[in-house]
Amino acid sequence: MTPIEPDAALLDTVRSAERVVVFSGAGMSAESGVPTFRDALTGLWARFDPTELATPQAWERDPDLVWAWYEWRAAMVRRVAPNAGHRAVADWARSAQLTVVTQNVDDLHERAGSAVAAHLHGSLYAPRCGGCTRPAELDDDRFDGMAEPAERMTPPSCVHCGAAVRPGAVWFGEPLPDAAWATAADAAENCDLMVVVGTSGVVYPAAELPLRAVRAGATVVEVNPQRTDLTDAVTHSWRVTAAEALPILAAVR
Ligand SMILES: NC(=O)c1ccc[n+]([C@@H]2O[C@H](COP(=O)([O-])OP(=O)(O)OC[C@H]3O[C@@H](n4cnc5c(N)ncnc54)[C@H](O)[C@@H]3O)[C@@H](O)[C@H]2O)c1
Ligand SMILES: [Zn+2]
């Protein structure tokens, strides 16, 4: 038996599951080259703490800094590709009723072919007006040649009201989008199997979803090379990466 082989009880559960939820966090995209919040950021951004850039206070204090950081991340994600884990989730949805709920602001699930039911923390590709909240339609050409991060970039102005356009991500301290949360909570409470991939389980209320699934009687499998705050609560903890585990789970028949 190879170390990455799951146990037989887990395989049986996967085989018989009718409603599956894949709940992903930053570790899902790590093997695509997108750093998690806990990876040290390099270069120009090394001296900033991402958890301090992703706040309403940071935006108030220094919108040009915050806008530049999100623009750089959006450009960086454009240059990477979905990994075998993202592709396996899309394949799995062809043979099971599968709902993808993600905390990620990237679009790698979508680019692998999944329909994402809930982007709990918003999206790098949905900037909106910070005043009137209308979506801002910005040209993706702006990412071309944005290889190196700029330290400051003035956010564009809303074409409707002139206020600054803000990133489409949910910041620490902000409420989650109502519709995304309702969809995610409903999926968590009505699944037989939840696969929790690459999340440290410290950001609430998102981290509540696996707990709700456990309480509703689902089997909850954690896929993460490290122990997390959710480890003691889940049914199985599998110490492997997303790109190792998901192709195995998706291939179970
Ligand atoms: N790609 C993205 O969109 C992205 C990137 C960074 C942060 N974020 C945001 O950061 C917040 C932090 O929460 P989080 O729990 O998602 O991320 P996190 O950074 O707190 O935790 C990442 C987890 O992934 C695990 N991990 C690392 N490599 C992995 C791999 N190859 N396979 C499986 N697991 C792996 C780590 O052990 C860790 O537990 C979220 O709100 C999210 O919106 C998003
Ligand atoms: Zn506006």
Side-chain angles (χ1 to χ4, degrees):
M1 185 161 161
T2 65
I4 65 162
E5 214 165 284
D7 68 52
L10 171 55
L11 292 181
D12 281 345
T13 309
V14 171
R15 201 171 287 119
S16 60
E18 284 178 4
R19 283 159 307 168
V20 180
V21 171
V22 171
F23 174 50
S24 62
M28 178 84 227
S29 301
E31 288 156 290
S32 293
V34 182
T36 68
F37 269 4
R38 275 149 194 73
D39 293 333
L41 291 176
T42 51
L44 182 58
W45 298 96
R47 63 203 165 81
F48 296 106
D49 176 353
T51 57
E52 287 187 10
L53 286 171
T55 64
Q57 293 75 20
W59 176 249
E60 288 292 311
R61 196 167 51 234
D62 196 344
D64 294 15
L65 176 69
V66 173
W67 181 254
W69 187 58
Y70 279 96
E71 285 288 275
W72 170 69
R73 288 175 64 202
M76 186 256 298
V77 170
R78 278 274 180 271
R79 292 193 302 272
V80 303
N83 64 57
H86 295 106
R87 292 195 298 273
V89 172
D91 286 346
W92 197 355
R94 288 188 252 282
S95 61
Q97 187 191 316
L98 183 146
T99 304
V100 179
V101 173
T102 189
Q103 298 170 84
N104 294 344
V105 294
D106 65 49
D107 60 352
L108 295 175
H109 278 299
E110 287 92 337
R111 281 161 56 198
S114 288
V116 173
H119 265 283
L120 289 176
H121 294 159
S123 165
L124 290 172
Y125 305 104
R128 66 177 186 277
C129 175
C132 72
T133 77
R134 275 182 272 202
E137 310 221 336
L138 306 180
D139 201 335
D140 274 5
D141 291 358
R142 73 192 191 283
F143 298 129
D144 297 347
M146 206 188 274
E148 290 304 317
E151 186 159 347
R152 292 202 137 57
M153 292 172 74
T154 304
S157 300
C158 172
V159 294
H160 307 287
C161 77
V165 169
R166 60 158 282 176
V170 176
W171 289 323
F172 291 103
E174 290 189 310
L176 303 191
D178 287 339
W181 176 253
T183 300
D186 181 64
E189 285 162 2
N190 292 289
C191 66
D192 331 289
L193 172 66
M194 176 184 277
V195 186
V196 180
V197 190
T199 181
S200 53
V202 296
V203 179
Y204 277 80
E208 172 80 16
L209 293 171
L211 307 178
R212 289 197 188 199
V214 168
R215 281 202 295 275
T219 299
V220 179
V221 184
E222 173 177 72
V223 170
N224 198 311
Q226 309 280 329
R227 204 188 146 73
T228 74
D229 283 18
L230 294 168
T231 299
D232 289 334
V234 299
T235 330
H236 298 266
S237 259
W238 195 12
R239 297 272 159 265
V240 288
T241 72
E244 288 167 341
L246 287 159
I248 295 173
L249 297 181
V252 172
R253 292 288 179 274

